[in-house]
Amino acid sequence: MLAAVATPAQASSLPSFPLPPEGGGSASISAGAEVLVRQDANLTVANRAGGMPTSSVPGRQLAGATIKVETYGQGTSTPTYFVNGAVTLAGVPTSDPDAELNLGFGHRKGTVCELAALLTTDTGDYWGTRYEFVGYNPDYFPTPSRPWECVAVFLDDSFSGTPPTATYDAFVAPLVDTRESPRLSVTRVDLLGQKQKTLRLVPGVATRIGVSFRNAGKVATGKLTVKGSGKGIRVRSQRTGPLASESSGSASVPVRLTGRQKKTSLRIVVGDGSTRAVRKLRVVRVKPPRRPLAGSYRSPSGNVRFDVRGGRMIGWTGTMTTRCGGFPDPYTYSTNTYSFPSRKIPRNGILQTSARGSNYGTSLRLRIVGGKVTRGLFNYAGPARCSASLAFEAKRAGR
């Protein structure tokens, strides 16, 4: 049954109810560092206000109520509350309308619950004994200045917003808070798309590794920092935006081996200052691979071509399918050839680089040892929601 919203004028004159002694259903549930996500109250006759009921008619007495409030965006300027409440009367009302059923939310002041928001509906013989209140703020009730702390359910004779002259029954109780924190984990560390358990690094060369992470909690993180440390290791930290609840993210961080030791370990930390996840990796010092051979390179199908001259990749081109558009329109597809600027190949044979134009961006990665290229990947993103991607391998075809 749809409930009505209290107007501001009503809210300024809402009633207050003494709270029952502690033990009437108050509790707090928390996990970690505490963002409010839910509030509950299960009201029974143990939560009946003093002096109630004033009516002996079962249809004007309360039997119980279950109140659930889901709250989103706590800590932001626009928190949202969703109320799902069900109230049961002790009997079927004898007329229609018979009484006004009120669901009020408020804040504690000492041992009193002072109401700040009210949802109301008429009871009647047609509707029976069960009444529901469902809705978001501010559609059905005002947004509180801070989370509510208590709830009251009461029956009176205030039809159509008129002031009540009699209150028939009332239950009141504290709200039970459920607070949760983000739950971060580092799910994967990769190099050129390959999962790494042991990281093999050429000393003195910055190698960019990918770090994937997940927030399995029910609340978002703050802005994240991905950083690393280790003996003889230098890592340049990277920042990313907040990670929503039950979602995943990734970042790439440059790692440089600076020490002389043959083996060490890398400690990767992803966190927002209040929560974090840690992953450790073995790091092994390796010699530089064979230098890239000068000459022309091509993929087996011929859709990728480039040259190597003086330790530089020159004239890279790739032909691939481009997808543009999307909802509400269908995708469109075309075949296009893209180019990539000349780049110096690092001593470790791993090229990880990007380039930008006025309205597009590209990235390219590959490993080249001698005359063989593996783990190649090119990506393009441009106007009209166009994107293209091509994984490739290549070999030296001639001088």
Side-chain angles (χ1 to χ4, degrees):
M1 190 173 182
L2 190 62
V5 186
T7 66
Q10 289 174 302
S12 65
S13 57
L14 294 180
S16 299
F17 292 92
L19 286 158
E22 291 296 329
S26 176
S28 179
I29 303 171
S30 63
E34 341 294 324
V35 174
L36 181 65
V37 297
R38 186 182 178 93
Q39 297 179 294
D40 296 271
N42 185 23
L43 292 87
T44 67
V45 293
N47 302 102
R48 182 164 271 145
M52 297 292 161
T54 63
S55 172
S56 61
V57 179
R60 292 182 176 179
Q61 292 184 2
L62 299 168
T66 301
I67 311 301
K68 301 177 181 180
V69 181
E70 296 178 12
T71 174
Y72 309 92
Q74 291 297 325
T76 72
S77 59
T78 56
T80 300
Y81 298 80
F82 177 73
V83 172
N84 188 350
V87 180
T88 304
L89 305 184
V92 177
T94 57
S95 60
D96 190 13
D98 184 69
E100 190 82 345
L101 177 60
N102 304 269
L103 171 59
F105 297 94
H107 299 100
R108 300 183 65 148
K109 188 172 183 180
T111 60
V112 173
C113 178
E114 292 188 343
L115 299 186
L118 194 67
L119 303 176
T120 65
T121 191
D122 295 343
T123 65
D125 53 5
Y126 177 80
W127 299 106
T129 60
R130 182 180 171 84
Y131 297 82
E132 296 183 354
F133 297 84
V134 180
Y136 278 97
N137 71 296
D139 295 337
Y140 293 107
F141 48 87
T143 301
S145 58
R146 66 182 192 276
W148 295 306
E149 297 168 335
C150 53
V151 60
V153 179
F154 56 102
L155 288 159
D156 61 26
D157 61 352
S158 59
F159 296 115
S160 303
T162 58
T165 60
T167 299
Y168 303 129
D169 200 1
F171 287 179
V172 60
L175 283 164
V176 178
D177 289 351
T178 299
R179 297 176 180 271
E180 296 194 11
S181 61
R183 289 191 289 127
L184 276 175
S185 62
V186 177
T187 56
R188 176 184 169 98
V189 178
D190 66 79
L191 173 60
L192 295 174
Q194 287 184 312
K195 184 178 179 181
Q196 301 292 301
K197 292 183 178 180
T198 298
L199 198 57
R200 292 171 171 81
L201 297 180
V202 174
V205 182
T207 303
R208 190 172 287 273
I209 62 171
V211 180
S212 300
F213 39 88
R214 179 167 178 80
N215 174 19
K218 294 184 179 181
V219 295
T221 69
K223 293 181 179 179
L224 295 173
T225 300
V226 183
K227 56 186 179 181
S229 61
K231 187 175 181 180
I233 297 175
R234 184 180 301 162
V235 181
R236 191 171 70 193
S237 62
Q238 302 291 306
R239 292 186 177 182
T240 70
L243 191 60
S245 63
E246 299 180 342
S247 64
S248 300
S250 62
S252 61
V253 292
V255 179
R256 188 187 300 267
L257 188 60
T258 60
R260 293 181 176 274
Q261 59 271 37
K262 291 184 178 180
K263 296 180 180 180
T264 184
S265 62
L266 170 64
R267 184 173 184 264
I268 298 170
V269 179
V270 181
D272 63 1
S274 61
T275 185
R276 67 177 186 173
V278 179
R279 170 70 68 89
K280 288 186 176 181
L281 270 152
R282 293 179 65 242
V283 177
V284 176
R285 178 190 182 103
V286 296
K287 296 180 179 180
R290 290 176 58 202
R291 296 181 63 182
L293 295 176
S296 298
Y297 289 72
R298 59 175 289 170
S299 63
S301 64
N303 59 349
V304 171
R305 298 172 183 267
F306 61 92
D307 292 339
V308 173
R309 295 283 186 271
R312 298 180 67 86
M313 182 201 70
I314 300 170
W316 188 97
T317 61
T319 302
M320 65 203 76
T321 300
T322 302
R323 187 182 75 177
C324 297
F327 183 84
D329 301 317
Y331 289 117
T332 61
Y333 298 88
S334 61
T335 300
N336 297 278
T337 299
Y338 298 93
S339 61
F340 198 88
S342 172
R343 290 289 190 269
K344 183 180 178 180
I345 301 170
R347 285 193 310 116
N348 62 358
I350 297 174
L351 185 64
Q352 298 165 298
T353 185
S354 60
R356 297 194 65 84
S358 60
N359 62 353
Y360 70 90
T362 58
S363 65
L364 180 67
R365 77 182 193 201
L366 57 84
R367 174 185 280 124
I368 181 168
V369 178
K372 184 178 181 180
V373 173
T374 57
R375 310 303 301 177
L377 180 66
F378 171 86
N379 285 297
Y380 164 86
R385 292 185 288 173
C386 291
S387 62
S389 182
L390 178 64
F392 64 92
E393 296 183 348
K395 289 184 177 180
R396 180 172 175 267
R399 292 184 177 275

